[in-house]
Every structure is written in structure tokens, then in C-alpha cells.
Amino acid sequence: MKATKITALLFSLLLLASCAAPAAEEYTTTFLAMDTVMSVTAYGAGAQGAPEAAAERIRELEKLLSVTAEGSDVWNANHSGGEAVEVSPDTASLLRRALELCRSTGGALDVTIYPLVKAWGFTTGEYRVPVREELSALLERVDYARVALEGDRLCVPDGMELDLGAVAKGWTGDQVAALLADSGVTSAKLELGGNVQVLGAKPDGSPWRIAVRDPNGESYAGIVEVTDKAVVTSGGYERYFEADGITYWHIIDPASGCPARSGLASVTVIADSGALADALSTALFVLGAERAADYWRERRDFDFILLGEDGSVTVTPGIAERFTLCGSWESRRAEVVDVSSGVCK
Ligand code: AMP
Ligand code: MG
């Protein structure tokens, strides 16, 4: 009799516990946009319909920012013959931010890199290695400082072309995160191609666990735990081709016109802003470990994880405790960037 009562009591307690903490509702949508697969997942009662609204906003931005879609703001500016064109407030706002980061990275990020990206065949898949003379001529047409943006009037000099591929997805992540927050969502995960951006914590209150890909394979090199952050990775492995035993990838050093060879295999940037994380993951890949650490010391409003081609791992102090190496990287030790000098400890 007693045992039956205890069992009944335990059963009702279990029932109560499951009533008290119901799993948050999950709403998700997966779609193709900006040349990649994207998914938006939002949690909680107020999240119904939010992923679809996010997808609509992304498609709207894609129409403005695409370099290939005739009639987009970027296409219009690239085909204006050097005349100023009127662009939407969204395009102007993204470009203002991007140009600021081109300046602050000393041109490692350059949004006018498109002629070079095309010459190497990364826009069509018809890969080729341009000769030195061709690269020199194309470099004459690459210089973000010659792009003029005044209010919503954008002027790209004749012969030059904008490419927002290094920043558009990250900036879009910020717009979508703000849209979700405005509609009352407090927990969400955006996967925009390789860019991840999370709103708040997981529905159970714990941090999101975001995997950093192993640049040498299909698996993971580590896991980073974050709340309310963008986590964006740039790596040579994302798009590349091989010719005569040499690998050429899609991140171009605007100083040489060639794929950036800084000794890094991938750069992951963790920041409050997706625009910042996206722009810097590309720029720091170009700059290499030492200059990336110098740049971080100057501003400190982001964290990074650098995976070197030699297997080295370098992280900023803000992320060191929240990053765990795994898989074939597990036995390695991450160097932590020293805050005050050029050496790592
Ligand atoms: P991400 O994957 O964000 O690193 O962006 C890489 C893309 O940005 C490339 O596919 C090019 O379209 C473009 N890109 C390549 N190199 C640069 C550069 N140095 N600055 C700006 N955009 C670049
Ligand atoms: Mg980028």
C-alpha cells in the first residue's frame, strides 16, 4: 500500500515538473539565399512566424546587395559608368560600415576586390591563374578609397566594381537579429551560410555551442560557447582550386592581387555584431596572426580564434575559457594573445 502511494506521489511530481518547465516551442525555416543555404530557428511562444519574416527580410536585402542580379543597388553602381546612383538606406548603411572597416584594416578588407575575384574565376568556377601583368592592371581598379558615398548617393568609378561578399551576410545577420528582437523573440539561432549569429541564450538558458570547422577535413576543430553573438569563420578551404600542385583560394590579398597567404588556415571572429565579425574574419585572414593580434589590441571589441596552417591555435583572452579544441585538434594547446605586447603567452 505504502509503495503504491510513493509511486503515485513520484509520478505526480514528475508530471508537475514536466508541466512547470515545458520545452520551448521551436519554429524553423531553411531556404536558399545569397548563394547559400540559410536557416533561422526561433524559440518561445512569440516566435511563431518569426523565421518566415526573417527569410523575407533576407530576400529583400539580397535583391539590393547581389553583385550579379541586374537592377540591384550594387549592380547599378557597378554598371553606372562612373555616375553616382541612388541606393536604398540599407545598402548605404552596410556600405558605410564596410568602408569604415576597409579603412581601419588598412585595406586588407577591400570591397572593390571584384575584378580580381573574377579574374581568378571564383565567380564562374572557370578557374585560372592570371599572369603578373594582368594582376597589375587589375590592381589599378581596386581601391575602396575611390568609392564615394554621400547620403544615399553612391559613386563607383568607371572600371571599378563593388563586391560585398565578405560583409553582406554578417550585416544581414544584424538586421535579422534586430527584427527578431523587435518582435519579442529572445532566443534564436541564424545560420547564414557559414555565418552563425545567436540571439540570447538557448531556450534552457545555457550558452549556444557553436562548432568551428577543421580546415583540414569535414569534422570540427573546436567548440565555442556564446550568448548573443555572431560567430563567423573565413578559410581558404571554403572555395579553392588547385593548379600545378598549388592551392589557390577565394580570399584575395588586395596588396598582391593573389590569394592571401598569411599562414592561416582559418579565422573565426566572435563579436556582438555580425557585420564586424564577417568583415574581420576576411580581413584578419589576409593580415595573418601577428597583425591580427595587433589589430585586436587596438580595438578589443571582438574575439578571434586563428587556426594556422602549421597546426597552431591562437585565441584572444576573452574567448580562451569558452573555446575547447576537439577531434584531431584536441591535443593542441591554444596560445592566448597577450593584451599588452606583441608576444603570446
Ligand atoms: P568571406 O567568406 O566572408 O571571407 O568572404 C570571401 C569573399 O569576399 C570572396 O568570395 C570574395 O567575393 C570577397 N573577397 C575576397 N577577398 C576579399 C578582400 N580582401 N576584401 C573584401 N572582399 C574579399
Ligand atoms: Mg567575411
Side-chain angles (χ1 to χ4, degrees):
M1 185 66 178
K2 205 175 170 191
T4 323
K5 270 188 182 167
I6 290 171
T7 313
L9 186 69
L10 280 175
F11 183 72
S12 4
L13 279 175
L14 270 174
L15 208 66
L16 260 176
S18 63
C19 292
E25 296 89 336
E26 178 183 299
Y27 301 96
T28 189
T29 183
T30 300
F31 51 98
L32 281 173
M34 300 186 172
D35 286 330
T36 189
V37 180
M38 299 191 166
S39 78
V40 177
T41 308
Y43 297 86
Q48 194 165 16
E52 288 72 22
E56 203 178 303
R57 175 80 173 123
I58 292 171
R59 289 205 187 89
E60 181 185 296
L61 291 172
E62 180 182 21
K63 282 193 197 129
L64 301 173
L65 306 174
S66 166
V67 67
T68 49
E70 202 171 325
S72 77
D73 281 350
V74 171
W75 194 92
N76 288 344
N78 287 351
H79 295 83
S80 67
E83 295 292 315
V85 297
E86 191 181 324
V87 295
S88 72
D90 281 326
T91 307
S93 157
L94 161 55
L95 199 56
R96 209 164 290 122
R97 189 82 195 277
L99 288 170
E100 210 176 274
L101 287 157
C102 290
R103 272 190 291 278
S104 83
T105 58
L109 180 78
D110 193 318
V111 288
T112 63
I113 201 81
Y114 201 55
L116 283 163
V117 177
K118 280 199 294 191
W120 286 90
F122 287 109
T123 50
T124 56
E126 287 165 26
Y127 301 120
R128 55 192 281 278
V129 180
V131 295
R132 176 58 34 211
E133 293 72 29
E134 183 182 354
L135 291 177
S136 305
L138 291 174
L139 280 168
E140 299 282 311
R141 296 163 47 193
V142 173
D143 182 5
Y144 69 89
R146 289 164 60 197
V147 172
L149 177 68
E150 277 167 35
D152 60 358
R153 307 284 297 166
L154 169 64
C155 181
V156 175
D158 197 19
M160 291 179 64
E161 288 169 287
L162 283 180
D163 169 13
L164 301 178
V167 290
K169 289 202 291 287
W171 183 83
T172 297
D174 290 338
Q175 308 313 302
V176 172
L179 179 89
L180 294 176
D182 285 350
S183 61
V185 175
T186 54
S187 173
K189 184 179 185 186
L190 320 174
E191 290 173 274
L192 314 183
N195 292 26
V196 178
Q197 189 153 351
V198 295
L199 193 65
K202 282 190 349 195
D204 66 5
S206 64
W208 301 91
R209 289 166 55 78
I210 311 296
V212 174
R213 213 182 115 171
D214 179 351
N216 308 318
E218 291 302 309
S219 191
Y220 304 134
I223 303 279
V224 61
E225 292 197 333
V226 291
T227 302
D228 244 330
K229 295 277 181 206
V231 180
V232 181
T233 301
S234 288
Y237 62 85
E238 287 173 330
R239 214 170 332 143
Y240 62 90
F241 69 95
E242 282 174 16
D244 298 327
I246 302 174
T247 305
Y248 299 95
W249 46 70
H250 66 131
I251 302 174
I252 310 288
D253 183 345
S256 66
C258 297
R261 290 190 201 285
S262 62
L264 294 177
S266 80
V267 174
T268 300
V269 173
I270 301 104
D272 292 343
S273 151
L276 184 68
D278 200 356
L280 292 188
S281 65
T282 310
L284 301 188
F285 187 91
V286 173
L287 290 176
E290 258 181 55
R291 289 199 286 161
D294 288 340
Y295 185 79
W296 172 79
R297 285 187 198 95
E298 276 171 30
R299 46 187 304 164
R300 313 249 190 111
D301 57 350
F302 66 94
D303 282 296
F304 65 55
I305 300 159
L306 310 179
L307 302 183
E309 288 184 301
D310 59 358
S312 61
V313 183
T314 313
V315 298
T316 47
I319 204 73
E321 298 296 314
R322 288 176 283 131
F323 179 60
T324 316
L325 288 162
C326 62
S328 62
W329 292 74
E330 195 171 350
S331 57
R332 298 168 210 248
R333 198 177 70 87
E335 299 279 333
V336 181
V337 175
D338 196 298
V339 176
S340 56
S341 77
V343 292
C344 293
K345 63 181 175 188

